[in-house]
Amino acid sequence: YSDENNNFFNDNDERTIFFCKGALETVKQLGWYPDIIHCHGWMTSLIPLYLKTLYKHEPVFQNAKIVYSVFENSFKESLGTDFTRKASLNHITDDELEPFHNADCNSMYIGAMMHSDAIVKCSETVTPEVNEHINSVTDTPVMHHKGEDLGVEYADFYETVLEQSSSN
């Protein structure tokens, strides 16, 4: 995300759009029907949005549940004033993109969480704004990453997410 001098790349906005769209198109082309799509960090933050908008009628994603992991704020820069226009891919409304408007790490996290079916909080050092959003969700399962026996912890959480969707 940064060069050898730790300067944030100017095209990180396009890199994240390309990565998210490319990942979804790859899954679609492979015909793989995931039960859960687990996105980690800001670089994947558009995937939940795209799944709930652009890809909502795609058969391979119809039953997939989206889990989004939030970490500490990993960049202070902005992805640019034109980020939401680029991220819209000419098919997503301004209302759906509103949470991403600031194009900073917080808005990337919050936008992703707003379009996810479950959240994993992976750090105690998330910003107050992100933490406030996590604490405000009521119908969304939230796992607070404890770092102990992760395999069992995640398996149990995934079961909770899948069970919640089958009861709705």
Side-chain angles (χ1 to χ4, degrees):
Y1 314 117
S2 302
D3 66 16
E4 63 278 354
N5 296 318
N6 210 27
N7 296 314
F8 200 63
F9 289 125
N10 290 333
D11 65 348
N12 275 338
D13 60 340
E14 293 170 351
R15 289 171 185 240
T16 193
I17 294 164
F18 179 79
F19 174 78
C20 293
K21 186 90 164 91
L24 293 171
E25 284 297 318
T26 299
V27 171
K28 190 173 114 177
Q29 292 301 313
L30 291 173
W32 174 56
Y33 288 69
D35 293 322
I36 291 181
I37 298 171
H38 192 152
C39 303
H40 292 264
W42 71 268
M43 183 58 88
T44 67
S45 63
L46 292 173
I47 290 175
L49 169 70
Y50 289 166
L51 285 168
K52 300 290 182 170
T53 57
L54 299 174
Y55 291 88
K56 68 181 174 185
H57 298 298
E58 289 293 336
V60 296
F61 299 120
Q62 286 281 292
N63 298 315
K65 297 299 164 199
I66 307 160
V67 176
Y68 187 75
S69 284
V70 178
F71 300 86
E72 66 280 346
N73 189 329
S74 61
F75 69 93
K76 306 288 184 244
E77 298 81 1
S78 170
L79 294 173
T81 58
D82 208 23
F83 175 71
T84 54
R85 183 196 61 78
K86 290 177 184 179
S88 78
L89 300 173
N90 299 320
H91 299 288
I92 302 175
T93 68
D94 289 343
D95 286 343
E96 292 164 328
L97 285 163
E98 177 57 33
F100 297 93
H101 182 72
N102 288 336
D104 60 5
C105 195
N106 282 343
S107 60
M108 300 298 283
Y109 285 160
I110 292 169
M113 289 186 291
M114 290 178 75
H115 293 94
S116 295
D117 300 301
I119 300 166
V120 178
K121 182 179 174 186
C122 294
S123 173
E124 292 304 316
T125 60
V126 299
T127 64
E129 183 181 6
V130 170
N131 203 44
E132 182 179 315
H133 180 81
I134 293 168
N135 292 333
S136 73
V137 297
T138 56
D139 294 336
T140 304
V142 176
M143 179 177 116
H144 295 273
H145 192 284
K146 298 177 194 83
E148 310 268 334
D149 203 0
L150 291 178
V152 171
E153 191 177 347
Y154 275 105
D156 290 345
F157 187 65
Y158 290 158
E159 284 298 319
T160 299
V161 172
L162 293 172
E163 287 172 9
Q164 179 187 20
S165 66
S166 65
S167 65
N168 290 338

